[in-house]
Amino acid sequence: MERRTLITHASAAAICAPNLLLASERDRDRRIQAARIHLIRNGSRILPIMLLAMTAAGPLGWNLRKSYPQFPVASALLGALGLNALRTMLPDRLAGAVPWGDVFLYQNILTIRPIKDAPLPKKCAVTHDDVEWQIRQRAKKIVLNNVPGLDALFRTRVGRAYATQAELIVFLRPTLIQEP
């Protein structure tokens, strides 16, 4: 009986909901939930303030003090409601991804230490547990003040970053998607 109820509710939501496929990108973005990037580590919730990549061109990064669009990483209802037509799902975007760097946590700063000398892609996505956040802006040059030595920054490994030609995908463990 519960399966029928679920199918009925999913069908009703798909029929009665405004057609997101016909909406403009601006209208779709307004309907998407946004939240700050967070991770659970040793039972406590951490709100990182910065995602920093130590590249050959110097430190580049993103400010994480604001909210970013968030999506469920894997959900059966996404396909049923047609919402996966709005964007390419994460497993599909991972096709051809190569390891780009290891992700470390120092207090509330996420730092990526590159493992290969490749340019930083334009876009970035961060995934943790069952949520994906999309950062749609380029990384900016960052001036570091009051940051400890590199040995302290690269002490606590919390994930791995993979790069495609268009996007840097950062996995903060645990995550529901299998890494390449």
Side-chain angles (χ1 to χ4, degrees), residues 24-84:
S24 69
E25 187 173 335
R26 187 171 153 222
D27 289 337
R28 278 187 252 141
D29 286 348
R30 250 190 265 140
R31 295 179 186 146
I32 293 171
Q33 184 179 2
R36 281 198 57 186
I37 295 173
H38 64 273
L39 69 141
I40 307 298
R41 179 104 174 124
N42 296 333
S44 60
R45 185 172 186 238
I46 299 169
L47 293 169
I49 61 169
M50 179 186 313
L51 175 60
L52 179 67
M54 304 301 270
T55 66
L60 297 173
W62 293 271
N63 177 7
L64 301 181
R65 287 188 175 119
K66 55 185 176 178
S67 296
Y68 291 102
Q70 77 177 26
F71 303 94
V73 172
S75 173
L77 283 179
L78 284 177
L81 298 176
L83 294 177
N84 61 352

Side-chain angles (χ1 to χ4, degrees), residues 53-153:
M54 304 301 270
T55 66
L60 297 173
W62 293 271
N63 177 7
L64 301 181
R65 287 188 175 119
K66 55 185 176 178
S67 296
Y68 291 102
Q70 77 177 26
F71 303 94
V73 172
S75 173
L77 283 179
L78 284 177
L81 298 176
L83 294 177
N84 61 352
L86 298 177
R87 64 186 184 91
T88 309
M89 300 301 285
L90 186 60
D92 297 331
R93 293 194 331 257
L94 276 171
V98 295
W100 194 86
D102 291 321
V103 182
F104 296 87
L105 177 67
Y106 174 77
Q107 293 177 351
N108 56 358
I109 298 173
L110 290 171
T111 309
I112 305 172
R113 180 175 60 193
I115 57 174
K116 62 184 284 184
D117 191 23
L120 194 62
K122 294 178 185 177
K123 294 190 305 182
C124 180
V126 177
T127 177
H128 174 62
D129 208 13
D130 63 345
V131 180
E132 173 195 355
W133 294 271
Q134 288 188 342
I135 304 172
R136 296 182 180 149
Q137 60 197 25
R138 281 180 164 255
K140 297 179 181 168
K141 203 159 202 64
I142 293 184
V143 177
L144 301 175
N145 295 326
N146 302 327
V147 176
L150 293 179
D151 59 333
L153 276 178

